[in-house]
Amino acid sequence: AQRVTQPEKLLSVFKGAPVELKCNYSYSGSPELFWYVQYSRQRLQLLLRHISRESIKGFTADLNKGETSFHLKKPFAQEEDSAMYYCALKYGNKLVFGAGTILRVKS
Amino acid sequence: DTAVSQTPKYLVTQMGNDKSIKCEQNLGHDTMYWYKQDSKKFLKIMFSYNNKELIINETVPNRFSPKSPDKAHLNLHINSLELGDSAVYFCASSPGLDPYEQYFGPGTRLTVT
């Protein structure tokens, strides 16, 4: 069955430190994965998708089919990165979301 | 301009009541969704409609009934509310059937006492 696992409920780092938000998936087909972000008092919004292979706000994510992972990375965390991050897998006409990881960037 | 709006933003009600949450999008999108975010922040799809036609109906109690009067609106009616229905309900829309580019509403926090 398709599943998205985000093992960390909360990730706390200092400003300027590297960040890696983990995401693993379970899916028998060819996966299409995304990261969504929800900043405080804002709506959930798309951050990036693996197909576009782009860097958004300094974040990148590489699909690793061997490890079935799609970790979100940023080399130097900023305070404004503090938010809830969801990894999502496209399954047919719907998105299957992970449980989310709260990222707290401390000054 | 609000792209996806939901009313009400907060809803407090007692067990056994019937309530509705409304969603409207002004993006011209064809597909709309309802999600439930539980107390642990787990986000799960409930329903989706494409051009007023139901296309996703997850395992949700039949006390929950979505209604789409037109493609810009998707309302959620809940009968006989239970404590476990307390959650944040998010509406979203996407241009077509591809779900990835979804625009989310601000959420409706439902508290059942």
Side-chain angles (χ1 to χ4, degrees):
Chain A
Q2 65 289 347
R3 183 183 296 175
V4 176
T5 303
Q6 293 179 250
E8 300 143 328
K9 200 65 189 164
L10 171 67
L11 182 63
S12 190
V13 301
F14 283 102
K15 178 181 168 183
V19 171
E20 183 178 53
L21 297 164
K22 291 185 168 49
C23 172
N24 289 88
Y25 66 91
S26 172
Y27 183 54
S28 57
S30 185
E32 198 171 334
L33 287 142
F34 311 88
W35 278 98
Y36 279 76
V37 61
Q38 187 174 25
Y39 300 102
S40 179
R41 297 190 188 88
Q42 293 188 30
R43 297 153 190 256
L44 188 64
Q45 57 188 288
L46 178 66
L47 180 63
L48 55 80
R49 60 189 302 208
H50 91 269
I51 286 179
S52 56
R53 301 183 67 83
E54 57 194 344
S55 173
I56 303 291
K57 299 185 179 183
F59 284 98
T60 58
D62 290 319
L63 177 61
N64 185 324
K65 290 186 180 180
E67 295 183 359
T68 60
S69 68
F70 187 57
H71 303 328
L72 184 68
K73 299 178 184 178
K74 185 169 182 176
F76 308 104
Q78 304 298 316
E79 288 181 74
E80 56 265 30
D81 296 328
S82 296
M84 169 71 97
Y85 291 80
Y86 285 98
C87 182
L89 167 73
K90 180 179 164 184
Y91 178 63
N93 290 332
K94 65 182 179 183
L95 292 177
V96 177
F97 285 88
T101 298
I102 298 170
L103 173 64
R104 288 208 185 116
V105 182
K106 300 176 286 189
S107 57
Chain B
D1 286 343
T2 303
V4 181
S5 59
Q6 295 179 226
T7 53
K9 196 168 182 180
Y10 300 96
L11 183 55
V12 181
T13 188
Q14 291 185 326
M15 283 175 55
N17 285 348
D18 303 338
K19 291 292 179 186
S20 291
I21 306 172
K22 296 186 177 182
C23 178
E24 176 180 3
Q25 54 95 3
N26 63 6
L27 297 165
H29 288 172
D30 288 340
T31 307
M32 296 184 73
Y33 310 80
W34 276 112
Y35 288 87
K36 180 180 180 181
Q37 185 186 51
D38 62 23
S39 58
K40 296 182 179 177
K41 303 292 187 184
F42 190 59
L43 190 63
K44 193 167 192 294
I45 189 161
M46 301 172 68
F47 303 102
S48 97
Y49 272 72
N50 177 263
N51 281 315
K52 303 195 298 176
E53 183 182 340
L54 181 66
I55 56 169
I56 294 174
N57 186 354
E58 292 292 286
T59 308
V60 175
N62 57 16
R63 299 181 295 103
F64 289 78
S65 53
K67 285 189 172 52
S68 183
D70 55 61
K71 74 173 193 177
H73 295 84
L74 180 61
N75 303 324
L76 182 65
H77 188 76
I78 315 170
N79 288 326
S80 303
L81 278 155
E82 301 177 357
L83 292 175
D85 298 332
S86 295
V88 181
Y89 292 85
F90 287 99
C91 177
S93 71
S94 63
L97 286 170
D98 193 329
Y100 95 89
E101 197 173 356
Q102 292 185 35
Y103 290 80
F104 282 80
T108 295
R109 182 175 293 279
L110 171 65
T111 303
V112 183
T113 61

